[in-house]
Amino acid sequence: MREEMDNQEVLLTAEHLHKEFDGTVILKDMNLSVKRGEVIVIIGPSGCGKSTFLRCLNGLETIQGGKITLDGETVESGGKGIAGLRERIGMVFQSYELFPHKTVLQNITLAPTKVRKIPRGEAEKEALELLERVGLEEKKNSYPRQLSGGQKQRVAIVRALAMHPDVLLFDEVTAALDPEMVREVLDVMLSLAQQGRTMLIVTHEMSFARAVADRVIFLDDGEIVEEGKPLEFFDHPKTERAQRFLNTFTYAKVEK
Amino acid sequence: MVEFGLLQNFGFDVLFKGSNMLRLLQGLWVALRISLISVALSIGLGLIVGAVMTLKNPVIKAVTRVYLEIVRILPQMVMLFLVFFGTTRIFGWNLSAELSAVIVFTFWGTAEMADLVRGSLISIPRHQYESGAALGMTLPQIYRYIVIPQTVRRLIPLSINLITRMIKTTSLVMMIGVVEVLKVGQQIIEANRKASPNAAFGVFATVFALYFIACWPISLLAKQLEKRWKDA
Ligand SMILES: Nc1ncnc2c1ncn2[C@@H]1O[C@H](COP(=O)(O)OP(=O)(O)O)[C@@H](O)[C@H]1O
Ligand SMILES: [Mg+2]
């Protein structure tokens, strides 16, 4: 599969991306190009700029330098076509942000009916199909507060999918979940990868990263320090910083 | 007649003399008219001022802050006296007592309403806007389908509380000579001091009941809406 990927068209790019918050440099000279169908996992220590990077990619943050393109079109926060581009870039956040005043079904069909302007009946039919695939069709008339964290995140994923995005961004979508609910969400993401979806995933779930990624990117202090195929990266990290980071996930046996 | 005796003992008999009950109802209508006009104006203006208050402009912030403080500190009665007796002298215009009351209650209600609107608007988390934006919605769509529906749900119980407070406070307008329900009540008691010495109880109890009848349905509606939206 990875060899095939080389001939795939480039879908999303970041070139010399530079991002500051109030004069503090958060991301410096980030370069990344994502091919159609590619699954990229971004890892790195807390505060290194992972969320900010994803948010720049769909124009939720303004950037102070560089360029982001989707299919050749420039993504610019506050730009004229930004809503149209965001339609094509789905995003799921860490804190499941469903719309609390709407049912599960309404959460999913809101944007398709108002933004893509497809008829309600059609939108509902598709929403139900998608819900069924994540095992939540019986929750269609529930309100978000009646769902568990894992169920909310699955609905949030379905809500993003209903817009038929070209690429999906996931920002630590399991970080706020109880351990027993992490799996049900990761399974949904694994099946999306199997379907050939283009995805950028920020996660701390290392064994999941190893399983799902075509490419792993290690971000530290606002720059890409190392990138590689998952097995190479996890088993033989080249840089010292990546080695140190990966070591924080392993524990030495207590000697007694 | 036992029934009539009971009415007399508690001073309810005066209500059935002449057109007294009708006069009380007319007085209630005066009070309600002042409140309803003030409430309507306050809601309209409060929505605008409250939305403006969420802007991050420091001048707007300072001005609205001072406005709110003035309204909170000054007793409504002082405001009524100031507008009705004070300004008519100084500016030489001829404000009717009822118009003065509407001005004062709108000035007060707008500030309170604006603060409720501001509070409800800023209580919508930033993530709600971003979730909408990430789905490709434009800012007007985000407001229309996500922010405003949630704001209104938070706002309605709070503003109904304000409305009932405004209706109750209109009883102050008799201090500037508006003949509203409480004033009519006093007149009836005065006029019947000899014949029914207990009229005070009957009349004020009736006024109490009238206020209750005016405000209770509004409270009920608020509870109903709160219950309906608890799930949402
Ligand atoms: N809105 C903001 N204003 C100022 N600084 C911010 C803002 N958002 C994030 N930052 C800073 O940017 C850095 C990167 O944050 P973030 O992208 O959230 O990191 P990560 O997701 O990797 O944990 C952090 O130092 C954080 O404090
Ligand atoms: Mg983050």
Side-chain angles (χ1 to χ4, degrees), chain A residues 55 58 60 83 86-87 89 93 95 97-102 110-111 114-115 143 145 159 163, chain B residues 125-128 130-138 141 145-146 149-150 153-154 230-232:
Chain A
R55 293 164 56 82
N58 76 347
L60 284 180
R86 284 191 186 126
E87 242 185 281
I89 309 176
F93 301 86
S95 49
E97 286 289 344
L98 298 177
F99 306 128
H101 61 302
K102 296 199 173 287
L110 178 66
K114 306 302 177 195
V115 179
Y143 283 93
R145 53 182 281 276
R159 186 174 67 176
M163 289 302 285
Chain B
R126 197 173 55 120
H127 254 110
Q128 288 287 313
E130 291 185 343
S131 296
L135 288 164
M137 297 173 82
T138 60
Q141 287 175 325
Y145 299 113
I146 300 171
Q150 290 186 58
R153 280 164 166 77
R154 284 169 205 214
K230 213 181 72 196
D231 274 344

Side-chain angles (χ1 to χ4, degrees), chain A residues 47 50-52 94 171-172 202:
Chain A
K50 304 179 298 293
S51 299
T52 306
Q94 173 177 338
D171 188 6
E172 296 198 41
V202 172

